[in-house]
Amino acid sequence: MGDADILNEQLASALPAAWRCLSPLGRAAAFPRGIPFQADEARDCTVNATIGQLTDGRGNPLPLPGVAGSMDGVDPRRAFLYAPIDGPEDVRRAWGERERRLAGGPDVPTSLPIVTHGLTHSLSLLADLFVDPETDVVVAAPSWGNYKLIFGMHAQARIVAFPFFRGGRFNVEGLVAGLASIRSKGVLVLNLPGNPTGYQPTSDEVAQIVAAVRSHQGPLVIAVDDAYQGWIYEEGRHQRSIFWDLCEGVDLDRHLPVKVDGATKELVFFSSRVAFLTHPSAGEEADAALRSKLKFLIRGTVGSASGPALGLVQRALASPDLESAFAERKALLAKRWNTLRAGLATLDEARVRVHPFNGAFFALMTLDRSLDAEAVRRRLLEEHSVGVIAFPQFNAIRVAYCSIHDEDLPELTSALHAVLDAS
Amino acid sequence: MGDADILNEQLASALPAAWRCLSPLGRAAAFPRGIPFQADEARDCTVNATIGQLTDGRGNPLPLPGVAGSMDGVDPRRAFLYAPIDGPEDVRRAWGERERRLAGGPDVPTSLPIVTHGLTHSLSLLADLFVDPETDVVVAAPSWGNYKLIFGMHAQARIVAFPFFRGGRFNVEGLVAGLASIRSKGVLVLNLPGNPTGYQPTSDEVAQIVAAVRSHQGPLVIAVDDAYQGWIYEEGRHQRSIFWDLCEGVDLDRHLPVKVDGATKELVFFSSRVAFLTHPSAGEEADAALRSKLKFLIRGTVGSASGPALGLVQRALASPDLESAFAERKALLAKRWNTLRAGLATLDEARVRVHPFNGAFFALMTLDRSLDAEAVRRRLLEEHSVGVIAFPQFNAIRVAYCSIHDEDLPELTSALHAVLDAS
């Protein structure tokens, strides 16, 4: 009996009217035992590597100076009155300009970004707009578990998964096979660098991915989940979002790339719930048509974004120190990345395959069949007070080093050694 | 050709891949010409009575002292790191306690409120959970246009509307008829005092409404939209939310009342996007089952609420001056209400029926057939720089006096006189 069945039985006996009123989605609903569930179990751990948000490793946030502190410099009208449904125009403009600047000023026209309630909401809007039971949604595996909820459970898509890695690189052949299995229309989700792999491809790999996408006959929406944009620590990796590569010479008859990004990680403002949706411009009229549909969907789900957070995002985007402050945070993570990489290299390769990682906030490792990821997670939790996330279906462990202090990383590595030796 | 058809044609020609990928909901989507659309047209008016948010009448917010100002006293972890999916427990507890206190400590057990992204999101969650094409959603007419988007367009319910007023009172007979037309399962939306009527019933009327609901065989979810809770200016009106009356002796086999409330109006924090969902408790297990389903839905649509706003809500709820600060704001609105009521009483009753109004932020008037509400709105806008909202389908005009300075109310009344005389 699945989790949802158990809940439905409980409701049937104690809240019969509620149970009888459930929609098909309501009947299927049950909070998954994924990352938030496992993170909750680890909340009292000494070393808690479960949650993908940057902290000082002592539970405290490291907000950018432009975001942190008081509401000084934030217009009270902005902070306390309703925002436009698609966001204040100055914030949308400032965000779009920064994105283009970070990408080196690409020569492709794009729409003015629309403000959403965070990256989940952006993806949920794309699901509402483009996904129904006839849609195939192609995602790498493993990938963020919420894709399954958003596209599969809510929007009833068929999820087509292909293995993320192949020979220590992004699995372009798997992507081609995934795209080939689309029945009529599709959505491809790309999350580079991403969760849980922490992998950013080289420019060479990006060119191959773009070629694979370009060869698909469509119609295809490419949702570029740029949550971790800019968080890349290794030389020789593609530096800009693949969105821009997909836009260059895009055939809008067949393809629509959509950039899904936001303040969450790019402005180190995890609680903000301020994100953006951008697509290649197809002229004022068509951009307005798509915006009208998106505004309709925003209005009928959550309304406009939260004022105090929007005000702080606006202030941060206007701050002359933004890029240097971000670079500082990135240097901090690069140091942790280096330490962790050295530590994980000491693990027995025959039992633990540590996948290449060089971006975002995570290291991912697949365990040998003689080991059980969920059992390893439990022992780390209970015997060493170390919290990590297990992906039982991949027999894999994810370490979110964004929330671990540099000094605690050796403890994490030695706990892994101890549990593996004893398992 | 409808608005959506026009948009679809524009997309078909300029963004063909996007157009071919549209879901049924995406095809139907078009931002409505409702309140946000009309408010946008009136944004430069001298007297702008379109938007339901409290201002000083000069465009400035009037936040409660506990909300306003800096982020001092807000825990940075609260402000900048992820919140739990269902909200921080202390905020949920503080909100639930205040609601019970405001209702005079009712003797009915209720669930710990769940945090959502605003009242729209709360209603959208109820739609996801309880509404499908087999569901009839009963609403008074006129009511907030977004109900149609949320329940009708998004969740595919059949909307059953009954006239709000009958003989200058809430139309209990219409409610009974609406409930009687439910085919199998239903959702009833009650919004008292509400938008756009601004009407709060007497205790006697509330008892009749409760009796009408109670006599329905169910299964029925009663969504009590308490957005404007507490904003009542007239003596002799029912003082607490009808949610509590519905909970007393509720038969959970047939009925589930759900309280939909939030910081938006109750804490004069329009931009917050912090709201709450509460239902009668059916024991720990059943409450947890419903919570699991709601958390699943929140996770797959927007994730947890915005940190800075949550922090400010927490601070406001802890402020010892909260109730006196709210009373001050309410006194301000009561004064505007009195002035406007006197002004509207001078209009020609034969041509303009001003419905009784005593709560929320609005006055509603139905125009005689010889007048056209949309034409009256246009003339007010273009000839007098006065912004109001027209409801063409009811030939009615809504005045949001919450955003009009006391001194400007005579100007609004005389503009109405002038336009009616000239029409």
Side-chain angles (χ1 to χ4, degrees):
Chain A
M1 198 156 75
D3 284 354
D5 300 316
I6 295 169
L7 301 182
N8 294 344
E9 279 198 359
Q10 291 167 348
L11 292 180
S13 86
L15 286 166
W19 171 71
R20 286 159 69 200
C21 282
L22 289 176
S23 69
L25 179 62
R27 278 195 294 278
F31 195 62
R33 295 172 190 269
I35 293 169
F37 180 91
Q38 295 184 26
D40 190 50
E41 285 198 332
R43 67 180 175 278
D44 297 324
C45 280
T46 317
V47 177
N48 186 348
T50 57
I51 306 180
Q53 62 187 347
L54 177 67
T55 70
D56 65 354
R58 301 286 180 258
N60 302 305
L62 292 169
L64 300 180
V67 166
S70 72
M71 301 281 279
D72 291 351
V74 174
D75 181 344
R77 286 171 298 189
R78 174 69 46 94
F80 301 115
L81 297 181
Y82 289 125
I85 301 282
D86 49 358
E89 195 173 315
D90 55 347
V91 176
R92 296 165 61 196
R93 212 166 281 287
W95 184 268
E97 282 163 12
R98 176 170 190 249
E99 289 298 320
R100 297 185 75 87
R101 199 167 57 240
L102 291 177
D107 186 25
V108 286
T110 43
S111 64
L112 190 61
I114 283 176
V115 175
T116 75
H117 271 265
L119 287 110
T120 298
H121 187 225
S122 294
L123 294 165
S124 169
L125 290 169
L126 293 180
D128 279 349
L129 195 56
F130 294 121
V131 178
D132 54 54
E134 304 309 310
T135 312
D136 296 304
V137 175
V138 180
V139 294
S143 57
W144 192 35
N146 217 0
Y147 296 149
K148 211 170 86 182
L149 257 67
I150 296 168
F151 295 109
M153 306 280 290
H154 276 256
Q156 299 285 306
R158 184 178 73 144
I159 303 286
V160 176
F162 66 91
F164 187 101
F165 287 113
R166 183 182 157 117
R169 288 165 62 95
F170 183 87
N171 179 8
V172 179
E173 296 82 356
L175 169 62
V176 169
L179 291 174
S181 78
I182 292 173
R183 293 161 301 174
S184 56
K185 66 193 183 85
V187 172
L188 167 66
V189 183
L190 291 174
N191 179 217
L192 301 166
N195 176 9
T197 59
Y199 182 76
Q200 173 69 356
T202 62
S203 294
D204 182 51
E205 283 172 274
V206 165
Q208 290 175 41
I209 296 169
V210 170
V213 172
R214 204 150 281 174
S215 69
H216 186 264
Q217 82 276 7
L220 182 70
V221 170
I222 307 107
V224 179
D225 178 348
D226 268 344
Y228 298 93
Q229 186 179 265
W231 295 96
I232 303 166
Y233 319 113
E234 197 171 40
E235 299 279 302
R237 296 284 147 183
H238 197 61
Q239 285 299 311
R240 70 176 185 179
S241 162
I242 195 170
F243 170 78
W244 302 106
D245 301 273
L246 289 165
C247 283
E248 279 172 357
V250 65
D251 176 6
L252 293 172
D253 284 349
R254 298 186 294 125
H255 295 154
L256 180 75
V258 182
K259 191 173 197 309
V260 174
D261 52 21
T264 319
K265 282 99 184 175
E266 286 186 69
L267 296 184
V268 200
F269 192 5
F270 299 97
S271 65
S272 63
R273 316 313 304 174
V274 174
F276 299 86
L277 269 181
T278 312
H279 58 83
S281 173
E284 225 169 273
E285 187 181 84
D287 291 358
L290 210 49
R291 191 169 64 245
S292 172
K293 286 183 179 285
L294 286 165
K295 281 169 69 179
F296 165 94
L297 295 169
I298 294 170
R299 171 87 172 151
T301 49
V302 276
S304 48
S306 183
L310 271 174
L312 297 173
V313 164
Q314 180 196 27
R315 195 178 60 183
L317 289 173
S319 153
D321 305 327
L322 173 61
E323 302 312 334
S324 63
F326 181 84
E328 247 178 63
R329 298 290 181 269
K330 187 166 138 179
L332 180 79
L333 261 202
K335 190 163 167 247
R336 292 185 194 170
W337 167 72
N338 245 320
T339 310
L340 181 65
R341 205 164 53 143
L344 295 182
T346 64
L347 294 173
D348 179 0
E349 277 179 61
R351 305 188 72 202
V352 181
R353 186 149 39 103
V354 179
H355 298 285
F357 65 105
N358 47 43
F361 293 175
F362 313 105
L364 183 74
M365 53 201 93
T366 303
L367 307 185
D368 175 70
R369 267 180 231 168
S370 65
L371 297 162
D372 175 72
E374 174 62 14
V376 166
R377 177 181 83 89
R378 285 242 145 263
R379 293 192 73 159
L380 285 167
L381 192 71
E382 287 158 14
E383 296 168 16
H384 300 271
S385 192
V386 167
V388 298
I389 298 291
F391 295 89
Q393 67 276 40
F394 303 105
N395 206 29
I397 293 281
R398 187 194 79 169
V399 173
Y401 56 92
C402 50
S403 35
I404 306 298
H405 197 284
D406 211 45
E407 287 169 10
D408 294 340
L409 287 167
E411 189 179 335
L412 186 143
T413 309
S414 62
L416 272 169
H417 269 289
V419 167
L420 295 174
D421 288 350
S423 299
Chain B
M1 200 156 75
D3 284 354
D5 300 316
I6 296 169
L7 300 181
N8 294 343
E9 278 198 1
Q10 291 166 347
L11 292 179
S13 86
L15 286 166
W19 171 70
R20 288 159 70 200
C21 282
L22 290 176
S23 68
L25 179 62
R27 277 195 294 279
F31 195 63
R33 293 171 192 268
I35 293 169
F37 181 91
Q38 295 183 27
D40 191 49
E41 286 197 330
R43 68 180 175 280
D44 298 324
C45 279
T46 317
V47 177
N48 187 347
T50 58
I51 307 180
Q53 61 187 347
L54 177 67
T55 70
D56 65 354
R58 301 286 179 257
N60 302 304
L62 292 170
L64 300 180
V67 167
S70 73
M71 301 281 279
D72 291 350
V74 174
D75 181 344
R77 285 171 298 188
R78 173 71 45 95
F80 302 115
L81 297 181
Y82 289 125
I85 301 282
D86 48 358
E89 196 174 314
D90 55 349
V91 176
R92 297 165 60 196
R93 213 167 280 289
W95 185 268
E97 282 162 11
R98 177 171 189 248
E99 289 298 320
R100 298 185 74 85
R101 200 166 59 239
L102 291 177
D107 187 25
V108 286
T110 43
S111 64
L112 190 61
I114 283 175
V115 175
T116 75
H117 271 264
L119 287 109
T120 298
H121 188 223
S122 294
L123 294 166
S124 169
L125 291 169
L126 293 181
D128 280 348
L129 196 55
F130 294 121
V131 178
D132 54 54
E134 304 309 310
T135 312
D136 295 305
V137 174
V138 180
V139 294
S143 57
W144 191 35
N146 217 0
Y147 296 149
K148 210 171 88 182
L149 258 67
I150 297 168
F151 295 109
M153 305 280 289
H154 276 257
Q156 298 286 303
R158 185 178 72 145
I159 305 285
V160 176
F162 67 92
F164 187 101
F165 288 112
R166 184 183 156 114
R169 289 166 60 96
F170 183 87
N171 179 6
V172 178
E173 297 81 355
L175 168 64
V176 169
L179 291 174
S181 78
I182 292 174
R183 293 161 302 175
S184 56
K185 66 193 182 86
V187 171
L188 167 66
V189 183
L190 291 174
N191 178 216
L192 301 167
N195 177 6
T197 57
Y199 182 77
Q200 174 69 357
T202 61
S203 294
D204 181 50
E205 283 172 274
V206 165
Q208 290 175 41
I209 296 169
V210 170
V213 172
R214 204 150 281 173
S215 69
H216 186 262
Q217 81 276 8
L220 182 70
V221 170
I222 306 107
V224 179
D225 178 347
D226 268 344
Y228 298 92
Q229 187 179 265
W231 296 96
I232 303 167
Y233 318 114
E234 197 171 41
E235 298 280 302
R237 297 284 146 183
H238 197 61
Q239 284 299 310
R240 70 177 186 179
S241 162
I242 194 170
F243 171 78
W244 302 106
D245 301 272
L246 289 164
C247 283
E248 280 173 357
V250 65
D251 176 5
L252 293 172
D253 284 349
R254 298 185 294 124
H255 294 156
L256 181 74
V258 181
K259 191 174 196 311
V260 173
D261 53 19
T264 318
K265 281 100 183 175
E266 286 186 70
L267 297 184
V268 201
F269 191 3
F270 300 97
S271 65
S272 63
R273 317 312 305 173
V274 174
F276 299 86
L277 269 181
T278 312
H279 58 83
S281 174
E284 225 168 272
E285 189 181 83
D287 291 358
L290 210 49
R291 191 169 64 245
S292 172
K293 285 182 180 287
L294 286 165
K295 281 170 68 179
F296 164 94
L297 295 169
I298 294 170
R299 171 85 172 152
T301 48
V302 276
S304 48
S306 183
L310 271 174
L312 296 174
V313 165
Q314 180 196 28
R315 194 179 59 183
L317 289 172
S319 152
D321 305 326
L322 174 60
E323 303 313 333
S324 62
F326 180 84
E328 248 177 64
R329 298 291 181 270
K330 188 165 135 179
L332 180 78
L333 261 201
K335 190 162 165 249
R336 292 185 194 170
W337 167 72
N338 247 319
T339 310
L340 182 64
R341 206 163 50 143
L344 295 183
T346 64
L347 294 174
D348 179 2
E349 276 180 61
R351 305 187 73 202
V352 182
R353 186 149 40 101
V354 179
H355 297 285
F357 66 105
N358 46 44
F361 293 175
F362 313 105
L364 183 74
M365 54 201 92
T366 302
L367 307 185
D368 176 69
R369 265 179 234 170
S370 64
L371 297 161
D372 175 70
E374 174 62 14
V376 167
R377 176 181 83 88
R378 284 243 145 263
R379 293 190 76 157
L380 284 168
L381 192 70
E382 288 158 14
E383 296 167 17
H384 300 271
S385 191
V386 168
V388 299
I389 297 291
F391 294 90
Q393 66 276 40
F394 303 104
N395 206 29
I397 293 282
R398 187 195 79 170
V399 173
Y401 56 91
C402 51
S403 34
I404 307 299
H405 196 285
D406 210 45
E407 289 169 9
D408 295 340
L409 287 168
E411 188 179 335
L412 187 142
T413 308
S414 61
L416 273 169
H417 269 289
V419 167
L420 296 175
D421 287 350
S423 297

